[in-house]
Amino acid sequence: MPEHLSIASIAENIRCIQEKISTATHRSGRSHDEVKLMAVSKMQPATAISEAFAAGVRLFGENRVQEFRQKLKDLNTLGVLVAGCGSSGDGNAAEVHLIGHLQSNKATRAAELFTAVDTVDSLKLALRLDEAAGKLEKRLPVLIEIKLSEEAAKTGFEPESAELMELLDRFSDMKHIQMRGLMTVAPFDENPEIARICFRHLRQLREQLAARYDRLDFSELSMGMSGDFEIAVEEGSTLVRVGTAIFGSRPKPA
Ligand SMILES: *Cc1c(COP(=O)(O)O)cnc(C)c1O
């Protein structure tokens, strides 16, 4: 067995997921173009990313700075265009977002490498990313990660925390990062309705915060993974992060 699926399978998996997203949007009175599909390529080789790129995917998620830095060379060799990495301004380039916990001492490298950081989980990290993006003279889009369940997330802001409010209060002073919305990881549970409660909670939080901080952009709701993306779409997700259902199971770490 190869470590990842063949070209036909990855393309076929993507097609199948897009169809499920369509069905879920119809069920909930939404339109498919409100939902972006992110292919989560952590632990997958550049060849698998290249196959998904060939199948039309232009949004990828990686969870480690160092891992993606190494893959980037292979992606260049394979002819996969990555936004901001020598191909800025090319509408055909792929965006790669960081979706893993980032230590603030790696903020500079992350701001260099990634199109966006979707896992801002502390005020300190937001400040570091703002400073790093400033030095690079770029605007870095970010999502704030919210922790809604003890089991699922070890990182993220508690929804009612003083630190979250302080971050939101100070956002307009941070000129180099651009607030785009919220992100969460639902708990693993056999019962998908547990995830639904979590997704609904994130959407409600978004509504409350958007009313209170009306100058900030809360339009993105990143929620839903391989096991629960259809439920997430029904509950208002604008960005689903799908790994296993596209690429198959992840190769074991070396
Ligand atoms: C790994 C990961 C995913 C993808 O998970 P799958 O179950 O493989 O779809 C999505 N979001 C985050 C934050 C991840 O770390």
Side-chain angles (χ1 to χ4, degrees):
M1 274 289 284
E3 282 193 327
H4 58 88
L5 305 174
S6 70
I7 289 175
S9 309
I10 287 178
E12 176 60 20
N13 290 342
I14 290 164
R15 202 191 52 76
C16 175
I17 290 161
Q18 292 287 18
E19 215 167 276
K20 287 181 175 165
I21 291 172
S22 268
T23 311
T25 53
H26 291 151
R27 266 200 304 275
S28 47
R30 307 180 64 206
S31 102
H32 190 147
D33 58 18
E34 293 170 36
V35 184
K36 292 183 281 290
L37 171 61
M38 170 189 281
V40 176
S41 49
K42 64 183 185 198
M43 314 285 286
Q44 299 292 348
T47 48
I49 298 177
S50 166
E51 290 167 16
F53 185 87
V57 174
R58 291 295 179 272
L59 177 60
F60 293 87
E62 286 279 338
N63 71 338
R64 291 214 169 88
V65 174
Q66 188 57 24
E67 181 189 331
F68 180 60
R69 207 184 12 200
Q70 278 162 5
K71 261 186 243 185
L72 196 53
K73 293 178 202 126
D74 297 335
L75 289 173
N76 289 335
T77 312
L78 291 165
V80 176
L81 301 174
V82 178
C85 301
S87 55
S88 52
D90 189 322
N92 199 35
E95 287 195 12
V96 183
H97 293 200
L98 182 68
I99 60 161
H101 171 66
L102 178 64
Q103 291 170 307
S104 43
N105 62 5
K106 291 185 184 155
T108 302
R109 272 186 288 163
E112 260 164 25
L113 273 177
F114 293 100
T115 327
V117 173
D118 291 359
T119 41
V120 169
D121 57 6
S122 70
L123 175 60
K124 182 178 169 190
L125 177 59
L127 292 166
R128 289 283 180 88
L129 285 171
D130 184 54
E131 193 188 330
K135 282 183 188 148
L136 295 164
E137 297 178 21
K138 72 191 260 187
R139 281 275 271 177
L140 183 72
V142 300
L143 301 182
I144 298 177
E145 183 176 2
I146 305 291
K147 173 181 167 147
L148 292 173
S149 75
E150 290 306 320
E151 322 87 90
K154 293 170 199 72
T155 54
F157 290 90
E158 304 276 348
E160 310 295 336
S161 65
E163 192 187 3
L164 175 59
M165 301 310 150
E166 190 183 350
L167 171 65
L168 294 170
D169 283 334
R170 292 177 64 174
F171 234 107
S172 36
D173 300 333
M174 293 185 262
K175 303 295 182 202
H176 307 287
I177 55 175
Q178 189 177 18
M179 166 66 175
R180 297 301 314 282
L182 305 178
M183 176 270 196
T184 200
V185 177
F188 293 102
D189 199 290
E190 310 228 317
N191 179 0
E193 295 309 309
I194 302 288
R196 186 186 298 281
I197 292 165
C198 171
F199 297 146
R200 195 167 290 173
H201 189 166
L202 190 71
R203 189 187 65 208
Q204 287 164 351
L205 179 68
R206 188 260 295 263
E207 280 155 21
Q208 287 165 19
L209 293 176
R212 189 160 151 195
Y213 295 90
D214 58 356
R215 294 208 311 238
L216 294 179
D217 177 6
F218 284 91
S219 51
E220 207 82 278
L221 267 189
S222 170
M223 55 189 199
M225 307 181 8
S226 290
D228 53 26
F229 69 90
E230 292 164 275
I231 292 172
V233 169
E234 288 172 8
E235 295 301 329
S237 176
T238 63
L239 195 168
V240 293
R241 310 179 304 266
V242 180
T244 318
I246 292 176
F247 297 110
S249 55
R250 283 180 275 279
K252 299 270 180 298

